[in-house]
Amino acid sequence: MKILVTGGAGFIGANFLNLLVPRHPEHTFVNADKLTYAANLGSLAEIATAPNYLFTRVDIADMAAVDAAFDEHAPDVVVHFAAESHVDRSISGPREFVRTNIEGTFNLLEAARRTWKDGQGLFHHVSTDEVYGSLGTEGLFTEDTRYDPSSPYSASKAASDHLVRAYHRTFKLPVKLTNCSNNYGPLQFPEKLIPLMIMNAQDGKPLPVYGQGTNVRDWLYVEDHCEAIWTVVQRGAVGETYNIGGNNEVKNIDVVHGLCNVLAQEMGRPPAELLGLITYVKDRPGHDLRYAIDATKIKEQLGWSPRETFETGLRKTVRWYLDHKVWVDQVRNGEYRNWIEQNYAGR
Ligand code: NAD
Ligand code: DAU
């Protein structure tokens, strides 16, 4: 099979490729990525020369470029990760989210529709639990939860989910969707909560917690997410949606406390030194209170459940950032630094 992986140089896409390229020499994986600020080809160093891996630079919002990639590579499967993914960026600059997440997904669907005839192909859309909006203190998101997105990011992902389902209903395009909770682990760009806190704590900088730190996220180790996606690609039913979650609801402030304790142990520093860096800052506008996934469907129908606990996953993640100084320095010396200075200054 030829598998076109969009956004394969980003956090989850790179973890997906690093896991699957060596495991499946019988498949060819084509990584189509625009290489935005969030991408890093260094994340793919271990598979860069594998005979079953190719990279092609494609902006999915450019229809001609998407058509050319489909013509050249004739994929049997698309696993669509490419997106603008950071909620705070969608608040300071929403346009790119509409362009990539909505128009980009539309372009891929159009190219797939043109290329695949009579039930050929598979379009796997990687989406988020944020499309469901915010939970109160009770309840879980199921696949039937009504869409109610809060941020420009989640609204753009919701629109892309609707387009994918519409192409299935209207044009019979074979599609599958997964909506996943917060990922963490190696290779995550340090604008997201966990790697940002690891960087700042190492540097002795403030650890900015939004609002009261009482918002809850359901954390999933990235490799567990990648295994879940692959399970759905292989054995999920066409036209279906599967929620993916870690069964790991944690308040933000408890995430940061946990991180400080693990980091202090791993760095041989007193925990109080890192805990003292915690600073409460102005809340994110439209900040969803709580996300939590009911992953019964994928567990019962496809036999997937997460392997990593939050404790083991967090320690692995901290160790990875401490052990990969070259990757970290490369990321921090790039455009990241400008953005952090412009948008997260003074926190
Ligand atoms: P990321 O920001 O780390 O990486 C995104 C990748 O997409 C980058 O390599 C970037 O270069 C590429 N990209 C962006 N715009 C592009 C364009 N116009 N054309 C081609 N490539 C482009 O994102 P991530 O955290 O790896 O998320 C991947 C997918 O998973 C996204 O669709 C996101 O919505 C979804 N998701 C993420 C999480 C999470 O916690 N990170 C959870 C659930 C779902
Ligand atoms: O739920 C899935 C989503 O998880 C994905 O679809 C998104 O792509 C991904 O970015 C993530 O969104 P969040 O907004 O939940 O992730 P983020 O890491 O930005 O924030 C996690 C929580 O931590 C959130 O409640 C906001 C808070 N936070 C975040 C940052 C960056 C802070 O308190 N301080 C911070 O500096």
Side-chain angles (χ1 to χ4, degrees):
M1 265 189 334
K2 207 164 222 189
I3 303 171
L4 186 80
V5 176
T6 72
F11 163 50
I12 307 175
N15 275 286
F16 181 81
L17 287 166
N18 285 328
L19 195 68
L20 291 166
V21 167
R23 194 193 283 176
H24 289 287
E26 73 280 18
H27 301 320
T28 300
F29 294 83
V30 181
N31 175 6
D33 197 303
K34 180 185 174 185
L35 299 183
T36 69
Y37 79 93
N40 194 336
L41 286 178
S43 301
L44 296 155
E46 282 172 24
I47 57 159
T49 57
N52 61 331
Y53 170 76
L54 292 171
F55 174 76
T56 175
R57 191 164 189 179
V58 175
D59 176 355
I60 59 165
D62 175 349
M63 184 76 236
V66 170
D67 273 340
F70 268 72
D71 289 344
E72 184 179 351
H73 299 290
D76 305 294
V77 175
V78 172
V79 184
H80 177 33
F81 291 98
E84 287 293 334
S85 70
H86 193 44
V87 173
D88 290 336
R89 283 184 192 251
S90 83
I91 296 167
S92 55
R95 184 173 299 280
E96 208 49 36
F97 287 72
V98 170
R99 190 178 172 273
T100 288
N101 300 359
I102 306 179
E103 290 179 34
T105 302
F106 166 74
N107 289 342
L108 289 165
L109 290 166
E110 277 293 287
R113 178 161 85 96
R114 175 179 65 78
T115 307
W116 297 332
K117 304 289 172 212
D118 305 322
Q120 281 178 329
L122 171 64
F123 191 95
H124 182 106
H125 185 55
V126 179
S127 195
T128 171
D129 60 357
E130 296 201 13
V131 297
Y132 300 123
S134 186
L135 288 166
T137 49
E138 300 287 314
L140 301 171
F141 296 133
T142 73
E143 288 78 0
D144 297 323
T145 301
R146 191 172 70 90
Y147 274 35
D148 190 19
S150 301
S151 70
Y153 162 69
S154 49
S156 69
K157 291 296 290 189
S160 69
D161 289 11
H162 291 320
L163 279 169
V164 172
R165 290 198 185 97
Y167 271 62
H168 177 62
R169 288 190 200 155
T170 306
F171 304 117
K172 308 284 173 262
L173 193 78
V175 307
K176 298 178 186 178
L177 295 91
T178 45
N179 292 78
C180 185
S181 61
N182 285 61
N183 284 214
Y184 69 103
L187 305 173
Q188 188 167 32
F189 192 80
E191 62 190 353
K192 309 283 195 308
L193 180 72
I194 290 182
L196 180 83
M197 295 294 165
I198 297 175
M199 304 283 123
N200 283 13
Q202 275 184 273
D203 294 349
K205 289 186 181 158
L207 306 180
V209 173
Y210 295 167
Q212 307 297 308
T214 47
N215 301 69
V216 173
R217 297 292 182 263
D218 174 1
W219 293 95
L220 180 70
Y221 194 65
V222 63
E223 231 172 77
D224 280 325
H225 184 194
C226 295
E227 294 282 9
I229 292 169
W230 188 239
T231 301
V232 174
V233 166
Q234 288 177 300
R235 294 188 280 111
V238 169
E240 289 293 311
T241 296
Y242 299 86
N243 277 355
I244 305 171
N247 210 11
N248 260 322
E249 283 186 56
V250 194
K251 279 188 188 148
N252 290 341
I253 188 62
D254 295 335
V255 171
V256 179
H257 279 154
L259 259 178
C260 287
N261 286 321
V262 174
L263 256 175
Q265 278 171 17
E266 296 290 335
M267 290 163 61
R269 300 243 290 266
E273 197 182 291
L274 303 186
L275 290 164
L277 297 171
I278 293 174
T279 321
Y280 292 91
V281 299
K282 192 164 163 283
D283 210 351
R284 171 186 280 173
H287 197 177
D288 288 332
L289 175 68
R290 176 171 162 260
Y291 303 144
I293 286 273
D294 177 349
T296 308
K297 180 173 175 182
I298 187 169
K299 185 175 178 205
E300 291 191 347
Q301 295 187 7
L302 305 181
W304 174 88
S305 37
R307 293 210 181 112
E308 213 70 59
T309 66
F310 194 52
E311 289 68 34
T312 57
L314 205 58
R315 191 167 294 273
K316 272 185 167 176
T317 305
V318 165
R319 252 322 347 139
W320 189 88
Y321 280 91
L322 293 177
D323 291 344
H324 290 78
K325 210 175 158 350
V326 173
W327 186 95
V328 166
D329 286 346
Q330 205 181 25
V331 167
R332 296 167 92 192
N333 290 334
E335 191 269 342
Y336 169 70
R337 176 181 289 193
N338 298 334
W339 190 82
I340 291 286
E341 277 165 13
Q342 280 164 23
N343 293 278
Y344 282 179
R347 309 188 315 175

